[in-house]
Amino acid sequence: MEILNLIIAFLIGGFSGIILFGLTLKLVSKKTDSTSQSNDNEISGILSEVKSYISKKNRIARIVFASINGLGWVIIVFLSGLSFRSLAIAIIFSITLMISTSDIKIRKIPNELVLLTFVVTMIYIVFGFSKQSLVMNFIGFLAGTFLFSIPFILKSEIGGGDIKLIAVMGLCLGYPGILGAVMVLGGSVLIWFIYLLISKKGGLKTSFAMGPFISLGFITTLLLQR
């Protein structure tokens, strides 16, 4: 029965991943087009890349996205069982996968996806799936916002979309869950920098998308909370 549940989780996650990939492309195209109207020169290279990406209907990328989403759902069901809490975590995972894809492609986290994450997080908390009290959830929200507002104010690589996503992450994970997520986030970023240095593809000043690393910290900590 457990194997059957995992197979069903993969099929549902994979099928939904195909749909979500298409929605992600539409969001990416929409955000890029709106930005290009205000700053054509700065975004022209990215716009050209995104239009090419969409026009080719990259089947490999779609399959990869759907497979990752399906495998993510399998891991969630395997670790947390078949429950409404697992479904909520799986939905959050799918949204963060969309966020990561968008951030990688155009270095922008759509407000629509952050808002959707917030809505699912509120449902997650209201229905009692959160392992923290409401006070700890609020403290997590404040801690996440405060910790990452500092580098944003100092004009580091942290963007406004990153801050919003981290704030929602803090709300969902609560305290001290947010600290665990920050540790996973920081460790994964460190590994990425080490890879760049070893492969000579960049260094400590290399620009990169924070969305995937935030998402990794978010989902990993969410799954480990008991």
Side-chain angles (χ1 to χ4, degrees), residues 29-49 51:
S29 178
K30 176 183 175 183
K31 294 298 177 181
T32 308
D33 288 338
S34 63
T35 305
S36 64
Q37 293 176 1
S38 59
N39 196 347
D40 291 333
N41 293 330
E42 182 178 348
I43 204 71
S44 59
I46 300 178
L47 178 60
S48 176
E49 178 186 352
K51 285 185 175 180

Side-chain angles (χ1 to χ4, degrees), residues 155-168:
K155 297 182 180 181
S156 67
E157 291 295 327
I158 300 292
D162 299 324
I163 299 294
K164 296 171 188 175
L165 179 59
I166 291 170
V168 174

Side-chain angles (χ1 to χ4, degrees), residues 50-93:
V50 171
K51 285 185 175 180
S52 175
Y53 181 77
I54 296 174
S55 64
K56 291 179 181 178
K57 296 181 180 179
N58 198 322
R59 294 182 180 179
I60 295 179
R62 188 181 296 271
I63 292 173
V64 170
F65 185 99
S67 298
I68 293 176
N69 198 59
L71 288 174
W73 280 49
V74 167
I75 293 173
I76 292 167
V77 171
F78 178 77
L79 294 177
S80 300
L82 195 62
S83 63
F84 285 109
R85 179 176 183 269
S86 297
L87 178 60
I89 296 176
I91 293 173
I92 292 175
F93 170 78

Side-chain angles (χ1 to χ4, degrees), residues 127-147:
F127 280 84
F129 300 138
S130 175
K131 299 303 180 180
Q132 309 293 330
S133 66
L134 288 176
V135 174
M136 292 296 102
N137 285 119
F138 184 67
I139 292 177
F141 168 78
L142 293 178
T145 304
F146 175 75
L147 286 173

Side-chain angles (χ1 to χ4, degrees), residues 188-201:
S188 59
V189 168
L190 178 60
I191 293 173
W192 173 249
F193 277 134
I194 292 175
Y195 163 74
L196 289 178
L197 290 171
I198 292 177
S199 63
K200 297 181 179 180
K201 294 182 178 180

